[in-house]
Short mmCIF file of all heavy atoms in Angstrom, two decimals:
data_model
loop_
_atom_site.label_atom_id
_atom_site.label_comp_id
_atom_site.label_asym_id
_atom_site.label_seq_id
_atom_site.Cartn_x
_atom_site.Cartn_y
_atom_site.Cartn_z
N ASP A 163 7.02 10.32 -4.45
CA ASP A 163 7.30 10.53 -5.87
C ASP A 163 8.79 10.77 -6.11
O ASP A 163 9.42 11.55 -5.39
CB ASP A 163 6.50 11.76 -6.33
CG ASP A 163 6.59 11.97 -7.82
OD1 ASP A 163 6.71 10.97 -8.55
OD2 ASP A 163 6.56 13.14 -8.25
N CYS A 164 9.31 10.11 -7.14
CA CYS A 164 10.74 10.18 -7.40
C CYS A 164 10.96 9.75 -8.85
O CYS A 164 10.14 8.99 -9.38
CB CYS A 164 11.40 9.19 -6.43
SG CYS A 164 13.15 8.98 -6.57
N ASP A 165 12.03 10.20 -9.50
CA ASP A 165 12.23 9.78 -10.89
C ASP A 165 12.78 8.35 -10.95
O ASP A 165 13.37 7.85 -9.99
CB ASP A 165 13.12 10.77 -11.64
CG ASP A 165 14.50 10.85 -11.04
OD1 ASP A 165 14.70 11.65 -10.11
OD2 ASP A 165 15.38 10.07 -11.48
N GLU A 166 12.57 7.73 -12.10
CA GLU A 166 12.90 6.30 -12.26
C GLU A 166 14.39 6.03 -12.10
O GLU A 166 14.80 5.02 -11.52
CB GLU A 166 12.45 5.81 -13.63
CG GLU A 166 10.94 5.75 -13.78
CD GLU A 166 10.50 5.15 -15.10
OE1 GLU A 166 11.32 5.10 -16.04
OE2 GLU A 166 9.34 4.73 -15.19
N GLU A 167 15.21 6.93 -12.62
CA GLU A 167 16.66 6.72 -12.55
C GLU A 167 17.12 6.63 -11.09
O GLU A 167 17.90 5.76 -10.71
CB GLU A 167 17.37 7.88 -13.25
CG GLU A 167 18.85 7.65 -13.40
CD GLU A 167 19.51 8.74 -14.25
OE1 GLU A 167 19.03 9.88 -14.23
OE2 GLU A 167 20.51 8.42 -14.92
N GLU A 168 16.58 7.53 -10.27
CA GLU A 168 16.93 7.55 -8.84
C GLU A 168 16.41 6.29 -8.14
O GLU A 168 17.10 5.71 -7.31
CB GLU A 168 16.34 8.83 -8.21
CG GLU A 168 16.56 8.98 -6.72
CD GLU A 168 18.04 9.12 -6.31
OE1 GLU A 168 18.85 9.54 -7.15
OE2 GLU A 168 18.34 8.77 -5.14
N MET A 169 15.20 5.86 -8.49
CA MET A 169 14.64 4.64 -7.86
C MET A 169 15.52 3.44 -8.18
O MET A 169 15.84 2.65 -7.29
CB MET A 169 13.20 4.40 -8.34
CG MET A 169 12.20 5.37 -7.77
SD MET A 169 10.48 4.84 -8.02
CE MET A 169 10.06 5.65 -9.53
N LEU A 170 15.92 3.31 -9.44
CA LEU A 170 16.77 2.18 -9.84
C LEU A 170 18.09 2.21 -9.06
O LEU A 170 18.54 1.20 -8.53
CB LEU A 170 17.04 2.21 -11.36
CG LEU A 170 17.94 1.09 -11.89
CD1 LEU A 170 17.27 -0.28 -11.72
CD2 LEU A 170 18.27 1.30 -13.37
N LYS A 171 18.65 3.41 -8.95
CA LYS A 171 19.92 3.58 -8.22
C LYS A 171 19.77 3.13 -6.76
O LYS A 171 20.60 2.40 -6.23
CB LYS A 171 20.33 5.06 -8.28
CG LYS A 171 21.82 5.25 -8.41
CD LYS A 171 22.22 6.62 -8.94
CE LYS A 171 21.72 7.79 -8.10
NZ LYS A 171 22.00 9.11 -8.68
N ARG A 172 18.69 3.55 -6.13
CA ARG A 172 18.47 3.22 -4.71
C ARG A 172 18.29 1.71 -4.53
O ARG A 172 18.81 1.13 -3.57
CB ARG A 172 17.24 3.95 -4.16
CG ARG A 172 17.47 5.45 -4.02
CD ARG A 172 16.25 6.14 -3.42
NE ARG A 172 16.35 7.59 -3.49
CZ ARG A 172 15.39 8.42 -3.07
NH1 ARG A 172 14.28 7.95 -2.54
NH2 ARG A 172 15.55 9.72 -3.17
N VAL A 173 17.53 1.08 -5.44
CA VAL A 173 17.31 -0.38 -5.33
C VAL A 173 18.64 -1.11 -5.43
O VAL A 173 18.94 -2.01 -4.64
CB VAL A 173 16.34 -0.87 -6.44
CG1 VAL A 173 16.38 -2.40 -6.55
CG2 VAL A 173 14.91 -0.42 -6.15
N LEU A 174 19.47 -0.69 -6.41
CA LEU A 174 20.72 -1.41 -6.65
C LEU A 174 21.75 -1.18 -5.54
O LEU A 174 22.70 -1.93 -5.40
CB LEU A 174 21.30 -1.05 -8.02
CG LEU A 174 20.39 -1.43 -9.20
CD1 LEU A 174 21.00 -1.03 -10.53
CD2 LEU A 174 20.03 -2.92 -9.20
N HIS A 175 21.54 -0.13 -4.74
CA HIS A 175 22.48 0.15 -3.66
C HIS A 175 22.05 -0.38 -2.30
O HIS A 175 22.80 -0.30 -1.34
CB HIS A 175 22.73 1.67 -3.55
CG HIS A 175 23.72 2.16 -4.57
ND1 HIS A 175 23.32 2.66 -5.79
CD2 HIS A 175 25.06 2.19 -4.58
CE1 HIS A 175 24.39 2.99 -6.50
NE2 HIS A 175 25.46 2.70 -5.78
N ARG A 176 20.83 -0.91 -2.20
CA ARG A 176 20.36 -1.16 -0.83
C ARG A 176 20.82 -2.48 -0.21
O ARG A 176 20.72 -2.64 1.00
CB ARG A 176 18.85 -0.94 -0.69
CG ARG A 176 17.96 -1.93 -1.37
CD ARG A 176 16.51 -1.49 -1.19
NE ARG A 176 15.60 -2.32 -1.99
CZ ARG A 176 14.32 -2.07 -2.12
NH1 ARG A 176 13.77 -1.03 -1.54
NH2 ARG A 176 13.55 -2.87 -2.84
N ASN A 177 21.27 -3.43 -1.05
CA ASN A 177 21.89 -4.66 -0.50
C ASN A 177 21.10 -5.37 0.58
O ASN A 177 21.63 -5.70 1.64
CB ASN A 177 23.27 -4.30 0.11
CG ASN A 177 24.32 -4.25 -0.96
OD1 ASN A 177 24.27 -5.02 -1.93
ND2 ASN A 177 25.27 -3.33 -0.81
N GLN A 178 19.83 -5.60 0.31
CA GLN A 178 19.02 -6.34 1.31
C GLN A 178 18.90 -7.81 0.94
O GLN A 178 18.13 -8.55 1.56
CB GLN A 178 17.63 -5.70 1.43
CG GLN A 178 17.68 -4.31 2.07
CD GLN A 178 16.35 -3.60 2.08
OE1 GLN A 178 15.39 -3.99 1.38
NE2 GLN A 178 16.26 -2.53 2.86
N GLY A 179 19.60 -8.22 -0.11
CA GLY A 179 19.58 -9.62 -0.52
C GLY A 179 18.25 -10.08 -1.11
O GLY A 179 17.92 -11.25 -1.07
N ARG A 180 17.47 -9.14 -1.64
CA ARG A 180 16.17 -9.51 -2.21
C ARG A 180 16.31 -10.07 -3.62
O ARG A 180 17.12 -9.58 -4.40
CB ARG A 180 15.24 -8.29 -2.22
CG ARG A 180 14.61 -8.01 -0.88
CD ARG A 180 13.83 -6.73 -0.84
NE ARG A 180 12.89 -6.57 -1.97
CZ ARG A 180 11.96 -5.62 -2.00
NH1 ARG A 180 11.83 -4.77 -1.00
NH2 ARG A 180 11.15 -5.52 -3.04
N VAL A 181 15.50 -11.09 -3.94
CA VAL A 181 15.59 -11.71 -5.28
C VAL A 181 15.23 -10.74 -6.39
O VAL A 181 15.60 -10.94 -7.55
CB VAL A 181 14.65 -12.95 -5.43
CG1 VAL A 181 15.15 -14.11 -4.61
CG2 VAL A 181 13.20 -12.61 -5.10
N ASP A 182 14.47 -9.68 -6.04
CA ASP A 182 14.00 -8.77 -7.09
C ASP A 182 14.81 -7.47 -7.18
O ASP A 182 14.50 -6.61 -7.99
CB ASP A 182 12.50 -8.46 -6.89
CG ASP A 182 12.17 -7.96 -5.48
OD1 ASP A 182 13.03 -8.05 -4.58
OD2 ASP A 182 11.03 -7.48 -5.29
N ASP A 183 15.86 -7.34 -6.37
CA ASP A 183 16.67 -6.12 -6.43
C ASP A 183 17.81 -6.24 -7.44
O ASP A 183 18.99 -6.11 -7.09
CB ASP A 183 17.23 -5.77 -5.04
CG ASP A 183 16.17 -5.10 -4.15
OD1 ASP A 183 15.06 -4.81 -4.64
OD2 ASP A 183 16.46 -4.88 -2.95
N ASN A 184 17.47 -6.51 -8.69
CA ASN A 184 18.49 -6.54 -9.75
C ASN A 184 17.96 -5.69 -10.91
O ASN A 184 16.79 -5.28 -10.90
CB ASN A 184 18.72 -7.99 -10.21
CG ASN A 184 17.42 -8.64 -10.64
OD1 ASN A 184 16.84 -8.28 -11.67
ND2 ASN A 184 16.93 -9.59 -9.84
N VAL A 185 18.82 -5.39 -11.88
CA VAL A 185 18.44 -4.44 -12.93
C VAL A 185 17.19 -4.92 -13.68
O VAL A 185 16.21 -4.17 -13.83
CB VAL A 185 19.59 -4.21 -13.94
CG1 VAL A 185 19.15 -3.29 -15.08
CG2 VAL A 185 20.80 -3.63 -13.25
N ASP A 186 17.20 -6.18 -14.14
CA ASP A 186 16.09 -6.64 -14.98
C ASP A 186 14.75 -6.61 -14.26
O ASP A 186 13.76 -6.09 -14.77
CB ASP A 186 16.35 -8.07 -15.48
CG ASP A 186 17.45 -8.09 -16.54
OD1 ASP A 186 17.82 -6.98 -17.03
OD2 ASP A 186 17.93 -9.19 -16.88
N THR A 187 14.72 -7.15 -13.04
CA THR A 187 13.45 -7.19 -12.30
C THR A 187 13.02 -5.77 -11.92
O THR A 187 11.83 -5.45 -11.95
CB THR A 187 13.55 -8.08 -11.04
OG1 THR A 187 14.11 -9.33 -11.43
CG2 THR A 187 12.20 -8.32 -10.42
N THR A 188 13.97 -4.93 -11.60
CA THR A 188 13.59 -3.57 -11.21
C THR A 188 13.03 -2.79 -12.40
O THR A 188 12.07 -2.03 -12.25
CB THR A 188 14.77 -2.84 -10.54
OG1 THR A 188 15.24 -3.65 -9.47
CG2 THR A 188 14.36 -1.49 -9.99
N MET A 189 13.59 -3.01 -13.59
CA MET A 189 13.03 -2.36 -14.79
C MET A 189 11.59 -2.82 -14.98
O MET A 189 10.72 -2.02 -15.34
CB MET A 189 13.86 -2.72 -16.04
CG MET A 189 15.27 -2.14 -16.04
SD MET A 189 15.31 -0.35 -15.87
CE MET A 189 14.75 0.15 -17.49
N GLU A 190 11.34 -4.10 -14.73
CA GLU A 190 9.98 -4.62 -14.86
C GLU A 190 9.07 -4.00 -13.78
O GLU A 190 7.94 -3.61 -14.06
CB GLU A 190 10.01 -6.16 -14.73
CG GLU A 190 8.65 -6.83 -14.87
CD GLU A 190 7.96 -6.58 -16.21
OE1 GLU A 190 8.67 -6.38 -17.22
OE2 GLU A 190 6.71 -6.57 -16.24
N ARG A 191 9.59 -3.89 -12.55
CA ARG A 191 8.78 -3.30 -11.47
C ARG A 191 8.43 -1.84 -11.77
O ARG A 191 7.34 -1.37 -11.44
CB ARG A 191 9.53 -3.40 -10.13
CG ARG A 191 9.56 -4.85 -9.60
CD ARG A 191 10.74 -5.11 -8.70
NE ARG A 191 10.66 -4.45 -7.41
CZ ARG A 191 11.71 -4.24 -6.62
NH1 ARG A 191 12.92 -4.61 -7.01
NH2 ARG A 191 11.56 -3.66 -5.46
N LEU A 192 9.37 -1.14 -12.41
CA LEU A 192 9.08 0.26 -12.79
C LEU A 192 7.96 0.31 -13.82
O LEU A 192 7.07 1.16 -13.76
CB LEU A 192 10.35 0.94 -13.33
CG LEU A 192 11.42 1.26 -12.27
CD1 LEU A 192 12.74 1.66 -12.93
CD2 LEU A 192 10.94 2.40 -11.35
#
Side-chain angles (χ1 to χ4, degrees):
D163 187 32
C164 176
D165 62 272
E166 291 185 341
E167 188 173 31
E168 178 64 24
M169 287 194 267
L170 179 65
K171 217 160 58 186
R172 290 182 190 178
V173 166
L174 298 180
H175 280 94
R176 69 184 172 187
N177 277 325
Q178 292 174 345
R180 280 173 49 168
V181 289
D182 53 349
D183 282 354
N184 55 69
V185 177
D186 288 349
T187 310
T188 306
M189 292 303 286
E190 181 60 29
R191 287 154 71 199
L192 288 168

